[in-house]
């Protein structure tokens, strides 16, 4: 009976699309332990089991190379920034542009929507950007060099003292 109530709450939370409640429920369903990387798959059977574990087809499952970084059997997902994903797709979490139980990229903090993303190709070649930068910097240095002789300062008169600079005070006692 408790499982049925939990399931009904879970379905209501998905239909309401309340991510805060959904994350609290996901925490109780073992999502973290299911997505914890296992050992690097050595055989074809291990590869198929890992692909099933992460919800991928065996043809599209590609693990990270076993180079000692500790990724294990975690899938190597394409480097696609969040901003290039379809904004009109009905995601489970539209503000994050991802679905429930969708594997995260191993470097998901780098590909989040508030980070750099190369979603679109550059308008001009990098050579054009570098030449523009160097041209502007050269122009700035040329103007600085040309105007170096013209000192810029705040025009201020000489300090004026009473009695035309004569001593008007003493520290002697009377």
């Amino acid at each position: 009976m408790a499982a049925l109530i939990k399931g009904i709450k879970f379905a209501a939370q998905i239909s309401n699309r309340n991510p805060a409640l959904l994350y609290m429920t996901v925490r109780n369903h073992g999502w973290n332990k299911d997505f914890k990387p296992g050992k690097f798959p050595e055989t074809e059977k291990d590869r198929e089991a890992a692909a099933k574990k992460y919800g991928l087809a065996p043809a599209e499952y590609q693990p990270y190379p076993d180079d000692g970084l500790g990724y294990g059997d975690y899938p190597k997902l394409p480097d696609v920034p969040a901003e290039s994903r379809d904004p009109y797709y009905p995601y489970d979490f539209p503000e994050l542009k991802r679905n429930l139980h969708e594997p995260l990229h191993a470097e998901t903090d780098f590909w989040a929507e508030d980070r750099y993303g190369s979603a679109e190709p550059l308008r001009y070649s990098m050579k054009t950007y570098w030449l523009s930068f160097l041209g502007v910097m050269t122009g700035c240095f040329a103007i600085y060099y040309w105007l170096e002789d013209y000192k810029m300062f705040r025009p201020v008169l000489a300090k004026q003292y009473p009695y035309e600079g004569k001593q008007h005070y003493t520290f002697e006692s009377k």
Side-chain angles (χ1 to χ4, degrees):
M1 186 68 170
L4 179 63
I5 293 172
K6 236 184 199 182
I8 292 171
K9 284 182 183 178
F10 186 68
Q13 290 165 3
I14 289 176
S15 65
N16 292 340
R17 295 182 183 257
N18 188 343
L21 295 174
L22 193 57
Y23 278 131
M24 289 187 326
T25 307
V26 165
R27 178 181 61 191
N28 297 331
H29 286 275
W31 183 63
N32 290 334
K33 74 173 176 53
D34 290 343
F35 274 39
K36 184 177 178 184
K39 292 176 65 177
F40 184 79
E42 301 291 336
T43 64
E44 190 63 34
K45 184 179 176 184
D46 292 343
R47 284 178 54 84
E48 290 175 5
K52 183 179 178 186
K53 173 181 167 183
Y54 294 112
L56 300 171
E60 62 186 17
Y61 172 72
Q62 176 68 32
Y64 280 95
D66 192 15
D67 55 0
L69 289 178
Y71 289 127
D73 68 345
Y74 202 76
K76 184 175 183 179
L77 301 173
D79 296 338
V80 178
E83 65 189 26
S84 67
R85 297 184 79 176
D86 184 13
Y88 302 109
Y89 180 81
Y91 295 107
D92 292 336
F93 306 110
E95 58 280 345
L96 301 174
K97 291 185 183 174
R98 59 180 303 261
N99 292 317
L100 184 66
H101 298 300
E102 177 182 346
L104 292 171
H105 195 283
E107 297 170 342
T108 191
D109 55 341
F110 181 71
W111 297 106
E113 203 162 15
D114 61 339
R115 306 284 190 235
Y116 168 76
S118 57
E120 299 176 4
L122 297 174
R123 185 172 185 178
Y124 303 108
S125 68
M126 281 304 292
K127 182 179 178 182
T128 306
Y129 290 116
W130 275 108
L131 288 174
S132 301
F133 171 74
L134 292 175
V136 168
M137 293 307 290
T138 303
C140 289
F141 283 124
I143 290 172
Y144 173 76
Y145 183 74
W146 180 54
L147 295 175
E148 170 97 29
D149 293 335
Y150 302 103
K151 299 297 180 194
M152 292 180 248
F153 58 90
R154 189 170 143 242
V156 178
L157 290 174
K159 182 103 172 136
Q160 297 179 4
Y161 294 103
Y163 306 112
E164 299 173 357
K166 296 178 184 172
Q167 184 179 5
H168 63 279
Y169 56 90
T170 61
F171 292 107
E172 299 171 1
S173 62
K174 293 182 183 183

